[in-house]
Amino acid sequence: MVGAGSGVWKLLRCSRQLELHRLIMALIFFCLLSMAFLSYYVSNTPKIKEAPPLPLSDCGGGGAAAAMSPGTNAAGTDGGAPGVQRAPLFLPSLQGRLRQVKAVDNSRTQPVVLVFVESIYSQLGQEIVAILESSRFRYRTEIAPGKGDMPTLTEHNRGRYTLIIYENVLKYVNLDTWNRDLLDKYCIEYGVGVIGFFKANENSLLSAQLKGFPLYLHSHLGLRDYRINPNAPLLYITRPNQVEQGSLPGDDWTIFQSNHSTYEPVVLASTKSSEALAHIGSSPHRALHATVIQDLGLHDGIQRVLFGNNLNFWLHKLLFVDAIAYLTGKRLCLSLDRHILVDVDDIFVGKEGTRMKVSDVEALLTTQNKLRSLVPNFTFNLGFSGKFYYTGTDEEDRGDDMLLRHRLDFWWFPHMWSHMQPHLFHNVSVLAEQMRLNKVFAQEHGIPTDMGYAVSPHHSGVYPVHSQLYEAWKSVWGIKVTSTEEYPHLRPARYRRGFIHNGIQVLPRQTCGLFTHTIFYNEYPGGSKELDKSIRGGELFLTVLLNPISIFMTHLSNYGNDRLGLYTFESLVKFVQCWTNLRLQTLPPIQLAEKYFQIFPEERDPLWQNPCHDKRHKDIWSKEKTCDRLPKFLVIGPQKTGTTALHSFLSLHPAITSSFPSPTTFEEIQFFSGANYDHGIDWYMDFFPFPSNASTDFMFEKSANYFDTEVTPKRAAALLPRAKILTVLINPSDRAYSWYQHQRAHQDPAALNNTFHAVVTAGAASSRGLQLLQKRCLQPGAYATHLQRWLQHYQPSQLHIIDGALLRSNPALIMGGVQKFLGVTPVLNYTQALMYDDSKGFWCQRIEGGRTKCLGKSKGRKYPEMSEESRAFLADYYREHNMELLRLLNRLGLPLPSWLRQELQSTS
């Protein structure tokens, strides 16, 4: 019985365990099923849309009157509050002191800023340089000398610098006596001011007097509730606003105190706690302390602006720009006018869920009207691709209709019909047909087609230039203006520039942190605070501050959902007007382009870069194009030194290929030196074949006027930074005479009607033709000047100087050196390849049967010897130029040409 009962019990227990296992498995299955259902529901249910963020509110008055809190006097003191006194010891009476301040006059200086940095890698130094570059101000950086010589400050009785900036003001005040006296005398004599920064570190004293100044520094402070002194003389762009509540970033601030009348506070703030003031003395917690001060020059005759921190704080950047303007007498200063244009790309293009609905279009119109009250003529500029009209949800399609009903309330510009990238189209007719489809759509729906502005999808074909795009734009739309963020490169943004190509003006385009995927405020990359930071003193604000003209790129998706585009620009405009005196306005694209090139006429001519050196450029460059068609070396001249002979000798080498001949300039392309440059790099590359082996084939071109054309080295280095450079130098007197004879042979009236001596000695009253001939005779012979210009853009190791006299007498020797310099293989034996032709009087190609193949009749031309009178004149004229060449070659460690040794010996 016991055994039977035990068996039953075991059976029951096993049964219960089995049921428990089944129950657990059922629960697990149910949980998985629930999770799958929940996942499906979440992913397929529209998000509950939160209310779009509200833009920045109005300033609440601002301006000088509202810049101080109630009970605060104009000097920034809490005069009426019991137990609260003005932070000692800045003097409030500014008007009397201003009468003693000497007006800034640095007109005897070059408009260049000298910046003393701690190192080339220091963050503050880089931020200073970034603002100078963004403002297009010329500058020079130097490592701040602790000991040693100050850089040369004057030249030809003019100051070389109009402003001095010290990244660390202690390096300025602790200069040795000799250099400090030298710098101070320079600043006083030439009216040059100084900007200095003091950023406390772990070794900084809590309190100290600035050496040589009646000024005390108190460091390692946390500050809050900053305000701008509306009486500070340097204020120009900066507009004093009401007190900005809240903490300043960091706890390493420095404040300035002084009894001297020379100091005027610019920014004032309170300390975070009374404990922070223990090392200052009896100054109360609520007192205002200066974090930026202006030295009016009443102490020692030098005006200065000192910052008690670095440029990480946005307001310091704004005041830094004002300080530059004030201390340079507004010589380095942008106007208060700022033109902005907001492009809305991809109208009709967005995918479902990202497009604008009727309420979004209504909000767009409402915001546009609001902004027009702040920014005259403000109008959103809408870029469309007609193929995608009516491809959203029903609600979004109604939004499309709403846009078209209000089409005349906006400006419009075309994208591509199917939003394809133009660089993918190699046939201009096919590309133009795509554009015509978009134009027909515009005409059918009443969209204006006369704005003369277009933007290419993804900036394709604008830069690097796809010539078919420019042709199609002009033929279909009559485009006169476009914009891109890619010229010369996307980053750094401060380097973006404009240019004109094929009659179309290309303006720089700015990003504003809004891309196709940034549609929700709380999902902004890095958090919504990053967007607000960009607006309120960050990158977006600085773009407006430092650029007279800004075209902003936004997208359709930025105006649906949370409408970040509306939030961003309404907030930006209000913030700019709260804190600056800038005058914002909007112009249509054609007028905007005219304004841009009035301000920056030097940008009209482009500077072509190598597309293969920028991945973004290569991605939007035609796959049918290759940088392998660009030359590996250049023969740059100068003219009449034997470069044509060198060209013919190089062309004999099996691994070296010359450019195709030009129908107008023969073996020379003359791309970098003149009007041919405007054709662009597609035109240039057509002169070169596709190499059979890009690594071993050496393509080159020879244009002898490259040597002395001022713009050529910069242009060549931009497109061919790794190219090697060959130049041939002969006695400059012989070169000048040869050019004169060359022009006589080409029937130049000035050469035919004047002796060589008359040409080289012609005075300023001579005819224009004679002066031009004289210039072309004499100027190329200033060899050192032209070589130094090339060496500003190429390394000495990339330059090979050929002795023209030896090239004529012993070309095999010269060509051996050239092959070694180029690194070309196989090595050609030029002793066998060349043969001297007695009838011609120079070396020629050896061909079968012991015969020669020589250059044409124009080479080796016979003409009378130069007169002794002319040779003596030219020997004297070129004496200093030849000495400069001697010094340059010695500095580079290069051998002297035989003719130079002889010339120096004969004139010594």
Side-chain angles (χ1 to χ4, degrees), residues 614-883:
D614 184 323
K615 184 181 182 303
R616 288 180 60 92
H617 290 175
K618 198 170 181 181
D619 289 342
I620 54 175
W621 200 43
S622 171
K623 303 307 178 190
E624 292 190 355
K625 301 173 185 177
T626 171
C627 295
D628 293 337
R629 291 183 74 187
L630 292 171
K632 287 187 178 179
F633 69 95
L634 302 174
V635 177
I636 63 171
Q639 292 166 313
K640 309 311 295 180
T641 60
T643 54
T644 302
L646 177 62
H647 176 275
S648 68
F649 297 160
L650 287 165
S651 300
L652 299 178
H653 198 289
I656 295 177
T657 304
S658 173
S659 57
F660 299 136
S662 163
T664 56
T665 50
F666 309 107
E667 81 274 9
E668 299 193 354
I669 304 177
Q670 298 182 4
F671 175 66
F672 297 107
S673 55
N676 287 335
Y677 191 72
D678 296 335
H679 296 314
I681 65 172
D682 289 0
W683 181 91
Y684 183 55
M685 290 194 301
D686 282 343
F687 281 92
F688 299 94
F690 286 92
S692 56
N693 188 321
S695 59
T696 59
D697 289 1
F698 281 70
M699 291 193 296
F700 81 101
E701 65 128 327
K702 186 270 288 191
S703 295
N705 63 357
Y706 285 173
F707 179 78
D708 56 287
T709 305
E710 188 171 345
V711 297
T712 298
K714 182 178 181 179
R715 288 176 171 180
L719 183 61
L720 308 171
R722 302 179 186 126
K724 294 190 174 182
I725 308 299
L726 299 180
T727 181
V728 183
L729 303 184
I730 66 172
N731 188 316
S733 300
D734 294 333
R735 197 219 68 84
Y737 188 53
S738 181
W739 180 256
Y740 167 78
Q741 295 294 345
H742 173 83
Q743 291 302 95
R744 282 181 63 87
H746 285 79
Q747 305 301 304
D748 181 348
L752 292 172
N753 297 327
N754 294 277
T755 65
F756 179 61
H757 188 73
V759 170
V760 296
T761 60
S766 304
S767 68
R768 184 176 181 276
L770 182 55
Q771 290 188 50
L772 182 61
L773 177 59
Q774 182 192 60
K775 180 181 178 181
R776 294 308 305 151
C777 283
L778 298 179
Q779 181 177 287
Y783 294 148
T785 299
H786 304 306
L787 287 172
Q788 285 169 339
R789 189 183 302 122
W790 280 91
L791 290 169
Q792 290 174 6
H793 301 279
Y794 286 95
Q795 295 298 317
S797 60
Q798 293 176 269
L799 176 66
H800 186 65
I801 299 174
I802 294 172
D803 183 340
L806 274 181
L807 177 64
R808 187 178 182 91
S809 63
N810 191 353
L813 175 65
I814 291 296
M815 296 309 296
V818 168
Q819 291 181 91
K820 182 177 180 182
F821 169 72
L822 295 175
V824 64
T825 56
V827 175
L828 178 64
N829 186 345
Y830 276 93
T831 302
Q832 297 177 356
L834 300 178
M835 179 178 176
Y836 189 78
D837 188 297
D838 292 319
S839 62
K840 277 284 190 178
F842 52 77
W843 292 80
C844 304
Q845 178 186 358
R846 184 195 301 268
I847 59 176
E848 292 181 3
R851 294 176 294 120
T852 60
K853 181 181 178 182
C854 298
L855 298 174
K857 295 180 180 180
S858 64
K859 302 301 177 183
R861 193 182 290 115
K862 305 292 185 183
Y863 43 77
E865 289 289 326
M866 188 193 318
S867 69
E868 290 300 320
E869 182 183 28
S870 296
R871 187 168 291 281
F873 173 83
L874 290 175
D876 183 63
Y877 177 87
Y878 283 118
R879 180 177 291 108
E880 185 54 37
H881 291 295
N882 288 338
M883 289 300 298

Side-chain angles (χ1 to χ4, degrees), residues 367-387:
T367 300
Q368 178 171 276
N369 288 330
K370 279 187 192 176
L371 289 175
R372 281 179 176 170
S373 66
L374 303 172
V375 183
N377 206 34
F378 182 88
T379 305
F380 285 108
N381 198 27
L382 310 186
F384 65 96
S385 292
K387 180 179 179 179

Side-chain angles (χ1 to χ4, degrees), residues 29 33 55 167 210 238 245 310 504 514 521 620 626 673 694 725 862:
F29 176 76
L33 187 64
E167 176 188 353
L210 199 62
T238 307
Q245 301 289 342
N310 54 25
I504 294 179
L514 300 181
Y521 181 70
I620 54 175
T626 171
S673 55
I725 308 299
K862 305 292 185 183

Side-chain angles (χ1 to χ4, degrees), residues 286-348:
R286 290 180 56 197
L288 298 178
H289 304 280
T291 66
V292 180
I293 60 164
Q294 181 172 357
D295 182 346
L296 303 175
L298 303 179
H299 171 59
D300 59 4
I302 303 172
Q303 297 199 45
R304 305 174 181 86
V305 177
L306 303 180
F307 291 80
N309 211 303
N310 54 25
L311 287 174
N312 285 344
F313 182 41
W314 74 269
L315 186 56
H316 278 193
K317 292 186 176 76
L318 180 57
L319 291 168
F320 178 59
V321 172
D322 274 355
I324 294 171
Y326 182 84
L327 293 177
T328 61
K330 294 190 177 175
R331 292 178 71 198
L332 299 182
C333 176
L334 299 175
S335 79
L336 293 177
D337 292 320
R338 295 293 184 276
H339 296 82
I340 62 172
L341 178 65
V342 179
D343 285 351
V344 184
D345 292 358
D346 303 345
I347 294 295
F348 309 131

Side-chain angles (χ1 to χ4, degrees), residues 189-204:
E189 181 177 354
Y190 291 93
V192 173
V194 177
I195 296 175
F197 296 84
F198 181 79
K199 178 72 163 65
N201 56 41
E202 62 276 8
N203 298 318
S204 301

